[in-house]
Structure formats: C-alpha cells, structure tokens
Amino acid sequence: MASATTKKTKTIPAVQAIKGFDRDLRCRGFQFEVGKSYQHDGPVVACKSGFHAVTGHPLAVFNYYPPGGSRFFRVALSGDQHSDDQDKTAAAILKVGAEVGITDLVNDAIKWVLGRSPRFGIVYTDYDNDYRRIPKDSAKWFQRLLTTDAGVD
C-alpha cells in the first residue's frame, strides 16, 4: 500500500525520471499531487510493485501513457529501486516535480541521445551551456598546421 509521507527518510541519492499520469494526476488508481512525496510499503519489483517512472529514453513514457490525454512530470525516485529493462524503474519513494510538455520531452530525448553518442571532431559542443563550442587540443594542432609550413612539402 502506498501513502503520502512527510517523515524524513535515509538520504539516498535521487534518480531523476519522467512519469506519466492520466489527466487527473492518477496512475493505476492512485492519486498523486505535485510537490508531494510518496512511499511504497513492501518490496519494490519492476512491473509489479513500487512507484514506476521512465529513467531511460524520455519518449519511452509514451509506451505507458499516450501523448493525448495524459500529463507528464519530472519525478525523483529514491529508496529501494529495481529495473528489469533499460527504460523503466520502480522505486520505494517518488516525489512529483514539475509538469513537462511534449516539447520538453523531445528536447530531453535529443539530449539523451546526444549524451550517449560518440563525439568526433575538433570542437567540443557543450550541450548544457547554450551549445557553446570549445576547441579541442586537436583544433589548436590543426590551426598551427594551417598557419605554419609544418607538414607541407
């Protein structure tokens, strides 16, 4: 059984995730509220018990809640956790954060993909700082090559 909790729990680093709800902020019949924390009593097993949210690709939330008629929120998962796939995690404690729209989910998905792909080239792109471009050491080497006679026969 799940219940709202205000008691302090042992500090465990929280995992950020995306959770889908129906339009009334319910999931599997349980009513949630923004800003509140909930604690599951009992074992935590993915797809069976605990509070579930998407910790993998952000758009995987659509596998559980359709884009039309659903609401999506950033949540923090903590306490005991269990996952049986790459996308969904069950946790003993869930805190409901800010609501996000489809645009936010798409932007999160882009960052998720870019954060896992190999980065090549002579310039590093800082995706967390307005896509600032930072020359790598290889860019400086290439600049020296182009501005000197080194390597030219």
Side-chain angles (χ1 to χ4, degrees):
M1 185 71 192
S3 60
T5 181
T6 56
K7 67 180 179 179
K8 296 246 180 193
T9 58
K10 183 178 177 185
T11 303
I12 297 173
V15 173
Q16 300 303 310
I18 301 291
K19 178 153 183 63
F21 299 95
D22 68 13
R23 66 181 72 234
D24 297 321
L25 214 60
R26 283 190 309 250
C27 177
R28 304 189 92 176
F30 189 84
Q31 183 68 55
F32 291 85
E33 291 181 43
V34 176
K36 287 202 173 182
S37 293
Y38 299 88
Q39 184 161 349
H40 173 77
D41 298 323
V44 173
V45 180
C47 299
K48 293 183 181 177
S49 61
F51 296 110
H52 294 76
V54 171
T55 52
H57 193 289
L59 298 183
V61 73
F62 298 146
N63 292 332
Y64 310 101
Y65 280 88
S70 299
R71 296 171 67 188
F72 305 97
F73 287 78
R74 296 194 191 285
V75 297
L77 303 176
S78 57
D80 290 342
Q81 298 177 27
H82 179 255
S83 181
D84 63 357
D85 62 24
Q86 296 293 320
D87 288 324
K88 187 169 54 171
T89 299
I93 301 169
L94 179 139
K95 181 173 184 179
V96 181
E99 186 166 10
V100 295
I102 303 285
T103 303
D104 298 311
L105 292 173
V106 169
N107 285 333
D108 287 353
I110 291 168
K111 289 179 183 178
W112 188 89
V113 169
L114 292 175
R116 282 152 180 78
S117 62
R119 296 183 183 176
F120 301 103
I122 60 175
V123 177
Y124 168 77
T125 303
D126 187 349
Y127 294 101
D128 295 324
N129 262 331
D130 294 325
Y131 299 97
R132 194 176 82 160
R133 297 170 58 82
I134 303 166
K136 295 180 183 178
D137 289 341
S138 56
K140 295 170 189 167
W141 175 87
F142 193 62
Q143 182 179 24
R144 281 194 307 274
L145 176 70
L146 294 175
T147 58
T148 64
D149 290 334
V152 178
D153 290 331

